[in-house]
Amino acid sequence: MQELVYQKWSGKINEVIVGQEPNIVRIGGQEGLPFLFKEGKIPNQPRIAFEIWDIPPVDWPEQLRHSYQGVLNNPIDWAKKCIQEYNARILCLRLLAAHPDFGNKTSQDEAKLIEDLLKYIDVPLIILGCGDDDKDNEVLPVCCQASRGKRCLVGDAVQDNYRTLTAAVLADGHNIIAESPIDINIAKQLNILISDMGLPLERIVINPTIGALGYGLEYAYSIMERARLAALSGDKMLAMPFICFVGQESWRAKEAKASEEEFPQWGSERQRGIIWEATTAVTLLQAGADLLVMRHPKAVDCVSKYIKRSHDLANDSEAKLSG
Amino acid sequence: MLIIGELINGMYKEVGRAIKEKNKSVIQRLARQQVDAGCDALDLNCGPASRNPASDMCWLVQTVQEVTDKALCLDSTRINAIEEGLKIAKFKAIINSTSADKEKLDTIVPLALKYKASLIGLTLDKKGVPQDKDRRLELAAMIVADCQEKGFPLDELYIDPVVLPANVAQVQLEDTLKALAEFKIISSPPPKTVIGLSNVSQGTKERSLVNRTFLIMAVFNGLDAAILDPLDKELMDSLITAELILNKQIYCDSFLEAYRRK
């Protein structure tokens, strides 16, 4: 039999720690490409976070809302349902209600929500702003303070607006999400800018921005792949784990949302969205995604099984080889 | 690109005096400055005035190891000085150097194997420095073949085409650059390549300009490592930019800073 050739890498991906003992989650830390278990150590499996909102999402299709019936107008109940019923190990709270167009909630109200939520959950928390730069710069620092010491992952910092969030994250012991618009050069630059403010590289997670299946997925894939290859070759300014907002992008796709009446040849919409989300997720795992933010519990379940099975298979073959 | 800092060399007055007086602070300052400037390894050379190269080399290794864990490039024509240095080197070591002479290869290659060190092989022999590209290739092939025979890993071998000063051997420089590219077809995997850069500008009036122009041309010809003055900021900036243009580093607006923080 011919001997397999393994690539030797000089670099490794930073390990980012989110949450508090005993429920901390470690992401990244790998020394090789995804699923190539013999190439380098892969100490942590990719993880999935459930997305919850502080306002009932109006644009979620029925087949998605159905899984969260009765809790969509109460983020704390929503969070509990994810943890108790769907076995969520990380939550991602989107503070959309702070947006001037969606309720303009005050920073104090949002901070209060965070404080309340943290009383009920012990899993690590990702906190996302509303997307309006000015408002996020008001709200996120107060929320960082309200969750001080909980080692959350807070985002998103962008090239034109990273200073306020970086300072808040630095002061309150959190990690940051650095977002770039499917652009590896900006991703690298933003990491430098953030670390120039004193935040250690081990507290940065890259949001490379993705497109769902059929909507630029392969473009996101190639950017992530290139960044990962550079990182493993020693580029420390790109050696961060990736967070991918899979749910957000997948459920935007017409193929995920459209009804069967509209497109009978596409089959049942009850399955289609789940398949769309799961397929997008699994593809991004191949590109090196470390943390997926997802929406449909069935899609999460499917992708979790995929992750577990691939890692179990690797462990089994390892055991056979050494046994 | 493996950058080897050249400044700890007894040939320089300040360093020669520091070695003689065993003045650690001078050496350690130079080590730190070069590492801060982006060096991956530090060349250590006791200089021609050293009365006891073996003990001076040991002192240099110990002194430098106190302030950095970078690779050390043990630069001496005396085999015992190199071996004494290897014995106490705590981190990666590079032997600088062997020639293509059989007797030299027979002593140095086993030494490199024994201490798991990298090795620089100069394309010269008893007859001197080659006058053209073909002879350089021939000598490089002899070194490579010898290493293969002895089981020395070729990715730890750095072939040096021996760069001559522009004002002495101008006609040879183009051949030297071409040789760098052609060394790569000697074997698979190919050996790596290195140059002692500053020699090219020896005795010229525009040393820094000559150095950096030659370095960029060498990088384009596939150079893997260079022994150079890392405190020459323009030289380092040009090198970083050359690597960027050759797509060896990913662009970002602060690419010079990104490289220095690698």
Side-chain angles (χ1 to χ4, degrees):
Chain A
M1 204 174 82
Q2 270 205 319
E3 202 184 332
L4 288 171
V5 177
Y6 296 110
Q7 178 87 34
K8 268 194 276 177
W9 298 105
S10 56
K12 77 177 261 199
I13 307 305
N14 301 329
E15 185 176 72
V16 176
I17 300 174
V18 192
Q20 282 188 303
E21 292 286 3
N23 294 307
I24 59 165
V25 164
R26 295 167 192 272
I27 54 170
Q30 59 273 46
E31 296 172 3
L33 290 171
F35 301 104
L36 296 181
F37 297 96
K38 298 229 172 70
E39 207 173 80
K41 278 184 209 135
I42 303 184
N44 304 307
Q45 297 185 5
R47 305 301 293 252
I48 303 174
F50 275 76
E51 186 174 335
I52 56 178
W53 290 24
D54 62 346
I55 183 177
V58 284
D59 63 341
W60 286 22
E62 179 47 36
Q63 61 269 32
L64 184 53
R65 297 155 64 97
H66 183 76
S67 305
Y68 302 104
Q69 242 168 9
V71 297
L72 287 174
N73 54 4
N74 184 332
I76 292 175
D77 288 345
W78 189 350
K80 284 186 194 162
K81 189 178 178 81
C82 289
I83 294 170
Q84 287 157 12
E85 213 166 301
Y86 300 134
N87 206 22
R89 288 285 164 267
I90 313 169
L91 290 178
C92 175
L93 174 64
R94 192 180 286 272
L95 300 174
L96 196 64
H99 197 286
D101 298 341
F102 299 106
N104 208 13
K105 251 176 100 176
T106 64
S107 42
Q108 283 69 32
D109 285 347
E110 294 291 27
K112 174 84 171 37
L113 168 64
I114 304 260
E115 275 171 22
D116 289 345
L117 180 65
L118 287 169
K119 282 180 204 152
Y120 292 101
I121 66 164
D122 51 11
V123 301
L125 184 63
I126 303 168
I127 302 172
L128 300 178
C130 65
D132 179 277
D133 283 353
D134 292 337
K135 193 63 192 287
D136 281 344
N137 286 343
E138 271 177 46
V139 172
L140 290 176
V142 185
C143 291
C144 279
Q145 222 172 355
S147 53
R148 192 189 176 109
K150 298 284 183 184
R151 210 156 33 181
C152 300
L153 177 58
V154 191
D156 283 3
V158 293
Q159 195 179 16
D160 296 331
N161 188 40
Y162 65 93
R163 291 176 172 276
T164 307
L165 185 57
T166 304
V169 159
L170 191 58
D172 295 312
H174 300 302
N175 305 291
I176 203 165
I177 303 173
E179 176 193 319
S180 41
I182 319 193
D183 186 318
I184 193 169
N185 307 124
I186 293 177
K188 184 168 171 177
Q189 183 68 15
L190 183 55
N191 291 335
I192 294 174
L193 294 172
I194 289 173
S195 72
D196 275 350
M197 286 185 66
L199 192 73
L201 296 173
E202 296 75 25
R203 280 165 64 184
I204 303 175
V205 174
I206 295 177
N207 171 10
T209 317
I210 56 142
L213 176 63
Y215 295 83
L217 178 61
E218 51 281 76
Y219 194 27
Y221 187 111
S222 67
I223 292 288
M224 289 168 69
E225 185 184 44
R226 186 151 177 248
R228 194 45 62 88
L229 290 173
L232 292 172
S233 305
D235 191 334
K236 292 201 172 125
M237 292 303 151
L238 285 168
M240 294 77 185
F242 291 121
I243 183 171
C244 294
F245 291 91
V246 172
Q248 169 193 307
E249 293 305 318
S250 304
W251 289 96
R252 254 187 204 167
K254 188 164 121 190
E255 292 81 349
K257 288 196 290 197
S259 70
E260 196 175 348
E261 280 160 29
E262 228 179 320
F263 294 96
Q265 70 277 28
W266 284 3
S268 160
E269 73 243 29
R270 283 175 57 200
Q271 298 295 325
R272 223 188 301 122
I274 298 168
I275 294 172
W276 219 259
E277 189 177 16
T279 310
T280 302
V282 166
T283 310
L284 291 167
L285 290 177
Q286 304 294 339
D290 298 280
L291 180 54
L292 306 170
V293 180
M294 296 182 64
R295 288 183 180 171
H296 202 294
K298 282 195 175 152
V300 173
D301 186 51
C302 166
V303 178
S304 301
K305 282 180 180 148
Y306 172 86
I307 294 170
K308 186 173 183 305
R309 208 158 51 219
S310 352
H311 282 255
D312 285 353
L313 274 174
N315 291 338
D316 285 354
S317 69
E318 196 69 32
K320 269 180 206 150
L321 278 178
S322 58
Chain B
M1 168 74 80
L2 184 84
I3 300 166
I4 306 169
E6 69 180 8
L7 298 179
I8 303 180
N9 189 317
M11 196 178 71
Y12 299 113
K13 265 190 199 149
E14 185 193 23
V15 177
R17 199 181 315 123
I19 293 173
K20 200 172 164 196
E21 295 165 1
K22 299 287 177 280
N23 179 347
K24 279 188 178 182
S25 66
V26 170
I27 305 296
Q28 292 180 337
R29 171 175 51 78
L30 282 170
R32 279 200 202 96
Q33 280 177 336
Q34 294 187 92
V35 170
D36 290 347
C39 272
D40 306 296
L42 299 172
D43 194 76
L44 304 180
N45 185 318
C46 311
S50 169
R51 290 208 193 118
N52 189 343
S55 76
D56 285 347
M57 181 62 89
C58 283
W59 178 78
L60 279 178
V61 170
Q62 269 160 351
T63 304
V64 172
Q65 276 178 171
E66 284 172 17
V67 293
T68 177
D69 56 4
K70 296 284 179 195
L72 299 181
C73 185
L74 310 176
D75 185 357
S76 176
T77 49
R78 307 284 195 89
I79 287 167
N80 73 324
I82 287 177
E83 178 151 28
E84 292 307 310
L86 286 171
K87 277 183 193 164
I88 57 160
K90 282 194 278 185
F91 311 106
K92 180 83 188 168
I94 304 167
I95 296 176
N96 187 8
S97 55
T98 178
S99 64
D101 291 309
K102 186 75 182 133
E103 314 85 77
K104 190 112 190 196
L105 286 164
D106 282 344
T107 5
I108 300 236
V109 178
L111 211 55
L113 273 169
K114 181 175 171 190
Y115 292 97
K116 293 195 166 60
S118 298
L119 175 62
I120 295 176
L122 304 176
T123 59
L124 53 78
D125 62 6
K126 280 182 190 146
K127 291 179 200 146
V129 179
Q131 299 299 309
D132 59 23
K133 186 184 73 187
D134 290 342
R135 182 66 183 147
R136 283 189 164 83
L137 276 169
E138 202 181 317
L139 293 169
M142 283 165 66
I143 298 171
V144 168
D146 193 83
C147 286
Q148 277 175 320
E149 234 168 72
K150 295 186 166 85
F152 183 79
L154 293 185
D155 55 357
E156 295 284 344
L157 174 66
Y158 291 83
I159 298 287
D160 182 337
V162 189
V163 178
L164 296 171
N167 64 355
V168 174
Q170 198 176 352
V171 291
Q172 283 212 43
L173 294 182
E174 188 183 354
D175 257 12
T176 312
L177 288 165
K178 284 182 176 161
L180 286 171
E182 292 191 22
F183 290 157
K184 294 288 180 188
I185 49 181
I186 291 176
S187 62
S188 175
K192 290 183 172 159
T193 53
V194 63
I195 54 172
L197 178 66
S198 301
N199 216 25
V200 76
S201 64
Q202 200 69 253
T204 68
K205 285 285 177 208
E206 293 280 357
R207 292 209 63 176
S208 175
L209 178 63
V210 173
N211 283 343
R212 69 175 177 271
T213 306
F214 190 81
L215 179 64
I216 301 320
M217 295 171 92
V219 169
F220 184 62
N221 279 284
L223 186 72
D224 297 298
I227 304 173
L228 49 73
D229 174 4
L231 304 189
D232 181 343
K233 188 171 177 295
E234 283 186 309
L235 175 71
M236 293 295 282
D237 284 354
S238 303
L239 172 60
I240 295 166
T241 310
E243 293 219 317
L244 186 83
I245 286 167
L246 293 172
N247 196 26
K248 290 181 181 173
Q249 304 293 334
I250 288 181
Y251 177 83
C252 68
D253 290 347
S254 309
F255 67 90
L256 292 171
E257 186 196 340
Y259 187 92
R260 290 200 162 88
R261 291 175 52 179
K262 67 184 175 174

